[in-house]
Amino acid sequence: MDGTLIGLVAFGAVLFLLALRVPIAFALAGIATIGTFVIFAFRTGTFMPERAIRPTSSLVFSNSFDLIHSYDLSMIPLFVALGHIAYRADITTKIYHAARVWLAKVPGGVAMASVVGCGGFSAITGSSIACASTMGRICTPEMLSVGYDKRLATASVAAGGTLGSLIPPSVLFIIYGIFTETSISQLFLAGILPGLVSLLGFLLVIFIWVKRDPDAAPAFTGTITMADRGRAAIESWPAVLLFVIIVGGIYGGIFTATEAAAVCVSAAILIGLAQRKLTLRGIWESLRETAIQTTSIFLIAAGAKIFVAFIALTGVAPDIVEAVTAAELSPVVLMLAIALIYLALGMFLDPIGIMVLTLPLMIPLIETYGFDLIWFGVVVIKLLEIGLITPPVGLNVFVIAGVVGREVPIDRIFAGIARFLALDVLVLILIMAVPALSLLIPYSM
């Protein structure tokens, strides 16, 4: 049977199952298993199922086993645990409180502090949805209580939450690095400057919004002294320390990304216990939630690994590369087409699902055109970040909607997101046009 046809039908079948709300791990693994069985059963030209059982089971079990025993994959539970422990130790919230004090007199200061807090939270947790959920419970009610425009109060946190995808450590970067066999340490460093540009862009959006509509953010009427600012800055030292361990340790060659994660988890536990903010029950709850989240991610990754092996078996990727090469598409047109595909999928699928579904086809194309895989990783993560706030499914928007309940209709949140979405598109264009923005730090290691 034609392997390319089977591969294309498999992609369509996966998308169909996802539309039916079948969990992506089971959709990927199920279709890959059936497709592999069909290929081996018809290998001789006639249907011989007894010859397909052994190679099919070998492909399924060997690929899932190899993935789960990957050393790099151990970073995911470590960084997920770091986020939960740092939150219960009151480390992540201190960043927001410090920004809240320092930006109190700035127009839209609470919204700006929310974005800065999201950036700080992202620098520890690596999860956009966890960032939006946690910071949404802290920041959004406060903004609504002091009279902020409902669109600004919700959209700023939903957009700020996406920073968890770019600012290291990022779970998406880890998965991308594993599936493309690129350096995860370099990917982490590559996300720093684009992440900071996105953060500063969000602050600019808020500033312009409030300047044009002062009623959107009532001015702060209290008193903030330099002593208050100094105290707030000092109290945020644990978060700064953890970020320095991750970025400074990796950049200086002191730690690998996995070692940095392990050191940070240990440091967060010691800091939390020393400051009497973390209890044994808190540690247990953190580990319990880590196990639940990690299991979900590992199932998706295992299903994706099986699907990648199946796609390689079909030969569909080389055929697509040959077709694109024959069409003589320019690099600009190719990247535009890839961006449109990711943006379209981002309207309906979750980031991990999009990445594991598309990388088997995208990476051969990128390598054929000679693009840098580290740079392309940043582009992909930025596209996935945009998908988190793109209607109709923008996951971060729904997370914030769940936090505020009926107080703010979801269409009002999407109305506020439009400004941040426009800024994200501009940053995406900048990342694509200036690869040095992503590659400067990792290639200076």
Side-chain angles (χ1 to χ4, degrees):
M1 295 183 70
D2 186 354
T4 301
L5 177 61
I6 294 176
L8 295 175
V9 170
F11 272 101
V14 170
L15 291 174
F16 176 73
L17 291 178
L18 294 179
L20 296 178
R21 303 292 183 181
V22 174
I24 188 167
F26 301 121
L28 290 170
I31 294 298
T33 303
I34 294 172
T36 303
F37 182 85
V38 170
I39 289 176
F40 283 115
F42 282 97
R43 173 153 286 188
T44 59
T46 57
F47 184 63
M48 303 181 69
E50 65 278 2
R51 293 190 176 184
I53 296 175
R54 183 182 295 273
T56 300
S57 59
S58 175
L59 181 143
V60 170
F61 294 122
S62 64
N63 279 279
S64 56
F65 180 87
D66 291 343
L67 176 83
I68 298 303
H69 285 76
S70 166
Y71 175 72
D72 288 336
L73 206 63
S74 62
M75 274 184 277
I76 293 179
L78 286 171
F79 280 122
V80 171
L82 176 60
H84 288 297
I85 291 169
Y87 173 68
R88 284 181 167 78
D90 203 26
I91 294 174
T92 53
T93 52
K94 291 296 184 183
I95 306 169
Y96 166 70
H97 292 312
R100 177 77 176 83
V101 172
W102 277 87
L103 298 171
K105 295 292 186 179
V106 180
V110 184
M112 289 186 179
S114 301
V115 172
V116 173
C118 287
F121 191 94
S122 302
I124 297 174
T125 62
S127 171
S128 291
I129 295 175
C131 179
S133 176
T134 303
M135 299 306 293
R137 289 195 295 268
I138 298 169
C139 310
T140 305
E142 181 177 354
M143 283 188 276
L144 293 175
S145 67
V146 297
Y148 268 60
D149 185 307
K150 293 180 179 180
R151 296 171 301 168
L152 176 58
T154 52
S156 59
V157 182
T162 64
L163 295 171
S165 300
L166 270 181
I167 296 177
S170 165
V171 171
L172 293 179
F173 271 139
I174 295 172
I175 295 174
Y176 176 89
I178 290 172
F179 278 89
T180 60
E181 298 181 354
T182 51
S183 167
I184 295 173
S185 295
Q186 288 189 322
L187 286 167
F188 280 179
L189 297 176
I192 293 175
L193 289 181
L196 291 177
V197 170
S198 297
L199 189 153
L200 294 174
F202 290 158
L203 297 181
L204 181 61
V205 168
I206 295 170
F207 183 80
I208 295 173
W209 186 340
V210 177
K211 277 294 185 181
R212 296 182 63 181
D213 181 15
D215 292 336
F220 179 74
T221 57
T223 302
I224 299 291
T225 65
M226 283 306 298
D228 295 328
R229 292 188 173 95
R231 192 179 305 110
I234 292 172
E235 288 178 350
S236 64
W237 71 266
V240 176
L241 174 64
L242 295 179
F243 184 71
V244 168
I245 291 174
I246 295 171
V247 175
I250 292 174
Y251 184 82
I254 302 171
F255 305 121
T256 64
T258 306
E259 291 166 349
V263 171
C264 283
V265 170
S266 302
I269 292 175
L270 292 175
I271 292 170
L273 293 174
Q275 293 185 337
R276 300 183 182 277
K277 297 290 182 65
L278 186 65
T279 63
L280 292 178
R281 180 177 177 81
I283 295 175
W284 167 252
E285 288 295 327
S286 297
L287 296 178
R288 176 177 173 275
E289 292 178 16
T290 297
I292 294 171
Q293 283 185 252
T294 302
T295 301
S296 174
I297 295 173
F298 277 20
L299 280 173
I300 295 173
K305 188 69 173 179
I306 297 168
F307 190 75
V308 167
F310 161 67
I311 291 299
L313 186 66
T314 64
V316 65
D319 288 344
I320 291 177
V321 170
E322 183 179 346
V324 172
T325 304
E328 298 182 349
L329 295 180
S330 69
V332 173
V333 173
L334 175 67
M335 289 306 301
L336 178 61
I338 289 175
L340 291 176
I341 290 171
Y342 274 100
L343 291 174
L345 291 174
M347 295 180 181
F348 306 100
L349 301 178
D350 67 278
I352 296 178
I354 296 171
M355 190 158 58
V356 299
L357 186 61
T358 57
L359 287 182
L361 297 183
M362 296 300 179
I363 295 305
L365 277 175
I366 294 303
E367 291 178 329
T368 300
Y369 273 74
F371 291 133
D372 189 286
L373 287 180
I374 299 292
W375 166 79
F376 182 69
V378 176
V379 172
V380 168
I381 301 306
K382 185 62 185 178
L383 286 164
L384 297 177
E385 180 182 284
I386 292 173
L388 287 169
I389 54 174
T390 303
V393 177
L395 292 179
N396 276 18
V397 175
F398 277 87
V399 168
I400 298 300
V403 171
V404 298
R406 297 182 179 180
E407 188 173 355
V408 185
I410 197 165
D411 60 322
R412 298 288 290 168
I413 305 177
F414 276 121
I417 280 292
R419 296 170 173 83
F420 296 98
L421 199 55
L423 183 281
D424 262 340
V425 172
L426 292 177
V427 174
L428 172 65
I429 294 172
L430 180 63
I431 293 171
M432 296 175 72
V434 187
L437 186 66
S438 304
L439 301 179
L440 178 63
I441 297 179
Y443 286 160
S444 67
M445 286 177 64

